[in-house]
Amino acid sequence: MGILVNNAGIIINKLVVGMMLEDCGRIFAVNIRGVFLHSREAMRAMIPNGTGAIVDAGYWQWKQSVVGSGQCSGLRGYRD
């Protein structure tokens, strides 16, 4: 394996005050756990080869956050 691009992510179109704990769980399952699991498996393939790259794509939402709806904007991190 040469490269992994972590680009999957979900948002739930609700204000934070209207979100359920299950909504938060779904967001974390895809946006955090999914990135971790895919990156871990990619590293397991890359390390023996001595080469590879992992690219984490960020969200556009950090630029367009609406008050009360920032449940996803910081989950994967912003890189300038």
Side-chain angles (χ1 to χ4, degrees):
M1 173 176 282
I3 188 165
L4 167 69
V5 178
N6 285 316
N7 194 39
I10 64 169
I11 61 170
I12 295 178
N13 195 19
K14 296 180 182 177
L15 295 178
V16 172
V17 297
M19 290 180 66
M20 303 298 293
L21 185 57
E22 293 79 14
D23 296 330
C24 184
R26 285 183 57 218
I27 292 169
F28 271 82
V30 174
N31 299 5
I32 304 298
R33 192 177 305 128
V35 169
F36 166 75
L37 292 172
H38 283 94
S39 296
R40 182 184 67 184
E41 295 308 310
M43 284 186 257
R44 287 178 176 168
M46 292 174 185
I47 290 171
N49 295 331
T51 187
I54 297 176
V55 178
D56 290 323
Y59 285 118
W60 56 268
Q61 187 183 10
W62 67 269
K63 286 185 175 181
Q64 302 182 39
S65 292
V66 175
V67 173
S69 67
Q71 74 269 14
C72 298
S73 57
L75 289 180
R76 293 257 308 269
Y78 159 68
R79 291 174 182 85
D80 191 6

